[in-house]
Each structure stands twice: as C-alpha cells, then as structure tokens.
Amino acid sequence: MAQNTNPLLCDPKEGACGVPQTENNAVKSQLPQTEKSITVTYYTDPICSSCWGIEPQIRKLKLEYGDIITFNYHTGGLLPDWSYNSGGISKPSDVAHHWDEVSLYYDMPIDGDIWLENPLNSSYPPSIAFKAAQMQDKNKAISFLRALREMVFLQKKNITQWEHIAKAADVTKLDVEQLKADIQNKAKELFENDLKLARDLGIRGFPTMIFTDNQGNREVVYGAKPYANFEKAILKLEPNATKKEYKKDWQTLFDYYPTLTAREFSELSSMPRKESEIYLNQLTEQGFLEKYTTKNGSIWKKK
C-alpha cells in the first residue's frame, strides 16, 4: 500500500496506525511501577485497526507472562474529527476499502462498510468512555474495550453513540449510570492526561507498547508485530522469565476469553490456522459454540 500520513490508513507493513506530525522522541517521562517485575504501557485507540489486529498476541502474552507483567491501557486519540485531508483520506467513505484490506492482512474480521453505512465522526467519545470504565474497574474496562471493538469492527455499530456505549457497559457488568456521569465529568480529564502523556513519551502511532522493569529499563515494541517480538522485549528485561503453561482445550480458552476469532484461537491453542477454523465450525455444528459471521471473517462464543 502507498505510504500515507493519515491516522486511519494504518500501514500493515509497519503494523501501526500513525499519528501525523508526531516525532518518535526518546522516552523521557516517568512511568508508574507496579508490584510485578514488568509494566507495559499500552497506547491504543478503540477504532485502531492495527490494535484489533494485535489482539491475538496480547491475549497470549497475558496467558503466558501475566504473572510478571502488568498492562496499563492508555488512549491516544486516533481520530479527533474530520477537519483534515491527508494521505488520500478526506471523508469517512475513503476508509471503507482500507479496512477491508487490513482485515485480510491481519486475518482478523473487520467490515469496512461501517464507513459507508454509519460512519464515526471521531474516536474521542469511545476513548473517553473507556477512561470512565477504568474508573470503575480496570479489568472490566478491558472487556468493555473489547466489546466496543467487536461492535465497530464486526457489527458495524457507530460506537460514538451512547446506545452502543451503554450496551457494551451493560454486557461487561459496568454501572451504566455511573459510566454516563463519569463520561461527562472526570473521564474527559483522564483522556486529556492520556493525550498529554502520549506527547511526552513521543508516541507516534498505535499500537505502541513500552515494557518497563522496576529499575526503569525499557523496551519499546511499535506496531502489530509477531508474538516473538513481545516475548523478546520481556526476556531482555527479565532474562530468567519463564512462560506459564496454560490449558489449551477449547473450553478453557473460551473461559479465559468469551469471544475468539479463528486467528486468536490458532494463536492460543497452537493449532494451525486452517485447522482452527475447521475445528471451531465443527464445535458450532455440534451446538457448543455460536458463530457471528461478517464478510471478512467470523467470531465465536460459547453457547
């Protein structure tokens, strides 16, 4: 694909959705430390297609190294509004074909038709909603973000609209009324803090992960890279780290993660990609799973 400077035209080769006119400066700001030996500062955005493409690697990373790493999610403000024209993108409909292309590249289901049928005018409302969710419960907030992503990438829902934000909050067992109140107040400030920290850190696109040990040593992985890149960052900071063994049967994997794409199931189960889809379809035919299909792939959940 041609090189571009538009944030919504995510570069598959680099594996990232870029932020225009932002330099990748050396990381200087102080990042929080935790009880675990490594902290991951993860910069993402609810409508970042490269971030959706990296979900299989993140999910595996948490299963294998969750005992020693803490994830801190931050939002980067990928699409403030449509008051620009760059990289061949001047209106929402220009994004549709690109999303279909990156869906095939990442092997994760994305239906670009949302940009033709019910386009978003900004990624700020779902980002602020995510900060509000974090105020209630950080783990539920991650599930909430996942629900928002499934809505926008697979179900073609405009996740700037309150009805969809509220539904995502409800299914992830957040307090919907509290979320609404926080969105209108404190969450906006927290989102602005995320944007400021991104500038301080020199974040130039999403996904960006900054791995930091308790001595302040850092490894940065930029873009949707293969799993080995993230594992290498951990082992550079913690050479004696050993991956945790986890059960890879389908029941246990769906207990860990309620929804899985074929690409995710393949990554987590170590089953070859083609076989994983055949297997998931068999489980669906046997009545164990439900399947939701888009024009560019499917996602499964337990019945």
Side-chain angles (χ1 to χ4, degrees):
M1 291 180 202
Q3 192 169 357
N4 62 79
T5 57
N6 188 282
L8 284 177
L9 280 180
C10 304
D11 182 356
K13 290 183 180 178
E14 194 169 40
C17 303
V19 181
Q21 300 175 341
T22 301
E23 296 298 324
N24 187 27
N25 300 321
V27 177
K28 297 177 182 178
S29 298
Q30 285 294 108
L31 294 173
Q33 295 182 348
T34 64
E35 293 178 2
K36 296 183 181 180
S37 57
I38 295 175
T39 300
V40 180
T41 301
Y42 175 33
Y43 259 93
T44 185
D45 186 277
I47 68 168
C48 165
S49 56
S50 293
C51 300
W52 176 240
I54 209 176
E55 283 282 281
Q57 293 94 308
I58 291 177
R59 288 181 149 192
K60 186 175 182 180
L61 203 64
K62 290 178 178 178
L63 289 177
E64 291 197 329
Y65 293 100
D67 289 346
I68 66 166
I69 60 176
T70 297
F71 268 83
N72 289 331
Y73 281 64
H74 296 270
T75 47
L78 183 63
L79 179 65
D81 54 49
W82 283 98
S83 63
Y84 61 79
N85 181 353
S86 63
I89 292 287
S90 61
K91 57 187 182 297
S93 59
D94 295 334
V95 185
H97 178 65
H98 174 71
W99 267 26
D100 289 338
E101 281 188 319
V102 296
S103 176
L104 297 175
Y105 187 89
Y106 292 126
D107 190 19
M108 288 285 281
I110 303 174
D111 191 337
D113 288 352
I114 184 175
W115 296 104
L116 304 175
E117 299 171 8
N118 194 8
L120 290 75
N121 58 6
S122 172
S123 69
Y124 279 29
S127 297
I128 293 168
F130 174 62
K131 301 312 294 183
Q134 285 182 315
M135 292 173 64
Q136 288 190 41
D137 185 299
K138 288 188 176 181
N139 290 326
K140 288 182 181 179
I142 294 169
S143 299
F144 173 70
L145 179 60
R146 172 75 183 204
L148 289 176
R149 283 182 166 145
E150 290 181 12
M151 284 179 170
V152 71
F153 290 123
L154 285 83
Q155 301 167 23
K156 299 183 291 183
K157 304 293 186 185
N158 185 327
I159 57 171
T160 66
Q161 297 167 349
W162 169 247
E163 62 178 299
H164 302 309
I165 291 172
K167 183 177 179 182
D170 185 55
V171 299
T172 51
K173 296 180 169 49
L174 289 164
D175 183 324
V176 177
E177 290 306 313
Q178 185 61 50
L179 188 86
K180 188 173 187 178
D182 290 333
I183 285 172
Q184 295 168 349
N185 294 289
K186 180 69 174 175
K188 292 180 181 179
E189 180 185 336
L190 295 177
F191 176 58
E192 290 295 331
N193 291 343
D194 270 5
L195 298 183
K196 181 181 184 303
L197 179 61
R199 292 190 293 269
D200 291 344
L201 295 174
I203 301 294
R204 64 188 177 92
F206 319 111
T208 294
M209 291 192 196
I210 304 171
F211 293 76
T212 310
D213 67 16
N214 287 330
Q215 287 72 50
N217 301 306
R218 291 171 187 166
E219 292 291 326
V220 180
V221 180
Y222 174 63
K225 298 297 190 290
Y227 183 76
N229 293 58
F230 301 95
E231 190 171 40
K232 182 179 178 182
I234 291 172
L235 295 175
K236 270 194 172 183
L237 296 173
E238 192 76 34
N240 296 321
T242 56
K243 64 179 68 175
K244 181 180 179 181
E245 294 296 325
Y246 63 91
K247 292 182 179 179
K248 297 182 179 181
D249 61 279
W250 73 267
Q251 295 100 325
T252 302
L253 291 179
F254 277 94
D255 284 342
Y256 289 140
Y257 299 115
T259 59
L260 290 167
T261 66
R263 171 74 183 83
E264 289 176 318
F265 189 81
S266 174
E267 184 80 56
L268 300 182
S269 67
S270 301
M271 186 180 292
R273 170 63 179 81
K274 286 185 179 179
E275 290 180 25
S276 72
E277 183 150 11
I278 293 170
Y279 184 58
L280 290 170
N281 282 331
Q282 289 173 344
L283 291 171
T284 304
E285 290 168 7
Q286 293 165 11
F288 295 115
L289 299 179
E290 289 182 13
K291 179 182 180 181
Y292 181 89
T293 301
T294 76
K295 68 176 185 179
N296 291 325
S298 304
I299 195 166
W300 287 261
K301 69 177 181 178
K302 256 186 183 179
K303 270 195 173 179

